[in-house]
Amino acid sequence: MSRDFDGVDDVISVGAPTILNNVNTTTWCAWIFPDTLGEGSLGRVFNKADASLIGKALFVRATAQLHFFCTRATTNCDARTTNNAIILGAWNFVAATYSEAAGGAIFVGAPGASVVESTLGTDTVGSGASSDDSGQAMLMGNVAAGTRTFDGRIANAKWFNSILTINQLSTLMRGGHCGVQPIGDWRLFGDASPEPDWSGNNNPGTVTGALAANGPPTSSPFKGRKGWRGAFTAAGGAATWGQLLGMRNNRLVLAGVLFILLKIF
C-alpha cells in the first residue's frame, strides 16, 4: 500500500520529536511513484525545513532530477542528480545520505534492478554547522508553507541516523531488513491517520489528504523475501493482502490434515 498525494495540498506531518531533530548523519529512503514533478515542479518527498527552507529536504524537480539539500552556516550542501534520474509514471526507489564531512549522495533503484548511486550534476558538500532544524516538523509530501506538494504515491518511508551502504539500500528496496534500526519507519499502509511509526519510537504521521493507494512491487514471498503488507509480487503480479491470508489459511488446513494423519498412523 501507499499514500497518494494530490499535488495541491496533501501532507503527512510527524512533528518534531527529539529523536528526529538535528540528525546530521542520516539516510532517507522511500518508494515513490511521481505522476508529475509536483507543485511548482518541486514536489517534496521528505522535508525537515522551515518556510524559508532552512533545514533539510529531498524532492523531485525538472528535468526528472532528485535534489537533496541541507542548509549550513557557511555554504549549503547541495546535491542534484543529472536529468532523468527518475522515471515519471513508474515506481522508483530513492534514497539520500548526508554527513557534514561527505555532503549529500543520492541513490535510485527500480523494480527488477539494483540500487545505484546517481551521478550528480551539482555536488556541493558545504561547510559550517548544519542548520538547527529542531523547531521544524518532519513532513512527507510537502513543505511547511504547503506550496510544494508531491504529486503521486509515496510508500515505505524510512529515516536512519547513519549512512547506509548500497547493499543495505538494495535490501530495503526488496522489502528486507538491512540490519540497522531506523529512527523513523512510516510504511504508509493507508489504514488510518495517524500513520504508525514502525521504528518503535512512536512518532506517527498525521495525514492530511493523501488517500490510500496501491503500493510498490517487492520480491515474491515464495522466494524467501518478504515485502510489506499488500506489496508482495508473484509471477502473475501483486498479490493482495486477502490473497496472502488465503495462502496462509491453506497452509493451516494442510498442517491440520498432516497432524490428523500422524495421529491415525
Side-chain angles (χ1 to χ4, degrees):
M1 298 300 290
S2 66
R3 287 284 183 173
D4 194 354
F5 295 78
D6 65 0
V8 179
D9 57 4
D10 290 353
V11 67
I12 297 177
S13 175
V14 180
T18 300
I19 197 169
L20 301 182
N21 293 335
N22 298 319
V23 183
N24 295 322
T25 300
T26 193
T27 300
W28 282 335
C29 65
W31 278 97
I32 65 171
F33 189 111
D35 295 321
T36 70
L37 295 175
E39 190 174 6
S41 295
L42 295 167
R44 286 323 195 251
V45 181
F46 295 100
N47 193 86
K48 188 74 161 67
D50 64 16
S52 300
L53 304 182
I54 304 300
K56 306 177 183 71
L58 175 66
F59 52 100
V60 297
R61 61 176 300 149
T63 305
Q65 298 176 6
L66 281 171
H67 186 177
F68 171 85
F69 74 76
C70 177
T71 55
R72 304 182 65 171
T74 305
T75 305
N76 295 335
C77 171
D78 188 348
R80 309 182 195 190
T81 66
T82 53
N83 292 344
N84 303 311
I86 58 170
I87 301 173
L88 300 183
W91 281 108
N92 304 257
F93 179 82
V94 300
T97 63
Y98 170 73
S99 70
E100 291 185 337
I106 296 175
F107 303 82
V108 177
S114 300
V115 173
V116 296
E117 184 171 358
S118 295
T119 301
L120 298 181
T122 300
D123 184 9
T124 304
V125 173
S127 60
S130 302
S131 298
D132 182 1
D133 63 22
S134 60
Q136 312 311 320
M138 169 59 180
L139 305 177
M140 287 172 275
N142 217 325
V143 296
T147 56
R148 294 291 181 261
T149 315
F150 189 82
D151 181 18
R153 287 170 274 173
I154 301 176
N156 209 34
K158 298 180 187 293
W159 190 352
F160 297 83
N161 60 353
S162 60
I163 304 294
L164 298 189
T165 66
I166 284 182
N167 286 340
Q168 288 171 319
L169 291 172
S170 295
T171 297
L172 290 170
M173 182 181 74
R174 294 190 295 265
H177 191 281
C178 69
V180 179
Q181 184 68 14
I183 57 173
D185 185 354
W186 305 279
R187 304 185 187 185
L188 307 186
F189 288 154
D191 292 335
S193 177
E195 281 280 359
D197 171 15
W198 292 73
S199 72
N201 292 318
N202 194 29
N203 293 308
T206 300
V207 181
T208 301
L211 300 177
N214 291 333
T218 55
S219 296
S220 167
F222 301 107
K223 294 181 180 178
R225 294 183 185 275
K226 295 174 68 175
W228 50 92
R229 181 170 49 168
F232 291 90
T233 299
T240 66
W241 185 233
Q243 288 170 326
L244 292 171
L245 285 176
M247 288 187 281
R248 174 179 179 273
N249 290 338
N250 289 339
R251 290 196 298 271
L252 289 174
V253 170
L254 179 60
V257 171
L258 290 174
F259 178 78
I260 292 171
L261 290 174
L262 287 172
K263 283 290 186 180
I264 293 174
F265 297 104

